[in-house]
Amino acid sequence: MATGLPVTTTTHDVRRLAVPLGRPYAEAIRVFEDTVPVLDRTRFEGLPDWAAVVAKADEVAPLGFLRFASIEVPPFMAGSGFSWDCTEYLMGNHVIAEQMYRHNPTVMLHAPLRLLIQADEHGDGVFVTDQPGTLFASFGDPRVTAVGHLLDTKLAGLFTALGAEPPAELTQ
C-alpha cells in the first residue's frame, strides 16, 4: 500500500579505512575482542534512568565501544573454493548513537558501526571500516555530523589501544 510520501535518495561519499594491526590474524582478533567488550544487555536492565545508562556505558566501555555482534565469515563461504580469514563485527555505543537518533532515526542504518578484521596475504590482521564521520555527514545535519566526528576520534583511540597507527583522516 503506497503512503503518498515521495521516495528520497541520497548519494554520499564514504572513506573506507584499512588499518594494518601489525600482528597475525588470530592474535589481532584476540586483542580486539579483549579491548572492545561484548555488550551484556543485562548490565543495563533495570537501571533507573538514562543518566544511569550513560554512567554504566562509560564504566563498561572505557574506549567508547562495545561489541554488539560478530560473524565469522569463512563457514558461510565453505564450498565456494575461496577462503580468507575474516570476522565481521557490529561495534558501537548506544549512548553515543542516541545523540544522533534523537534527531534522525535513520542514523541507525550505520549505528552500530560495521567493521571487518581480515587476514592480508601474509596472514596479518587488517581492521577495515567506513569512517564514521563520512557516514554520518551524509545525513546533512550538523548535530549528527558532530557525533560522527566524535566517533572518528574514538576510533583513532581504539586503533592506538590496538597498537596500530590511526589514519590521519580520523583526527582532521
Side-chain angles (χ1 to χ4, degrees):
M1 171 192 250
T3 64
L5 296 174
V7 172
T8 61
T9 62
T10 303
T11 301
H12 61 97
D13 292 323
V14 175
R15 182 177 292 123
R16 181 149 305 125
L17 308 170
V19 178
L21 296 176
R23 56 186 58 162
Y25 170 79
E27 184 181 342
I29 291 291
R30 182 188 54 74
V31 170
F32 172 76
E33 291 184 356
D34 287 348
T35 303
V36 179
V38 70
L39 172 66
D40 178 356
R41 290 178 49 187
T42 63
R43 298 189 78 175
F44 293 91
E45 292 173 358
L47 295 176
D49 55 30
W50 190 249
V53 172
V54 171
K56 182 58 74 175
D58 287 345
E59 173 191 326
V60 300
L63 293 174
F65 294 115
L66 296 162
R67 283 184 289 124
F68 285 72
S70 65
I71 301 169
E72 288 186 44
V73 176
F76 294 99
M77 300 300 150
S80 73
F82 301 96
S83 181
W84 289 86
D85 285 332
C86 58
T87 303
E88 182 178 4
Y89 294 93
L90 294 178
M91 174 187 81
N93 184 319
H94 53 292
V95 169
I96 295 171
E98 185 279 331
Q99 296 171 38
M100 297 179 287
Y101 174 79
R102 69 176 75 154
H103 304 295
N104 185 343
T106 308
V107 301
M108 300 312 289
L109 181 64
H110 301 298
L113 303 171
R114 286 179 81 157
L115 69 99
L116 186 78
I117 297 179
Q118 67 183 49
D120 67 12
E121 60 276 0
H122 305 292
D124 291 331
V126 179
F127 185 118
V128 183
T129 193
D130 291 334
Q131 183 178 347
T134 63
L135 287 172
F136 294 112
S138 71
F139 291 93
D141 183 327
R143 301 166 298 185
V144 171
T145 300
V147 178
H149 292 307
L150 169 69
L151 289 165
D152 286 350
T153 301
K154 291 193 175 297
L155 190 56
L158 174 58
F159 285 131
T160 299
L162 294 173
E165 183 69 30
E169 293 86 352
L170 292 176
T171 56
Q172 295 176 348

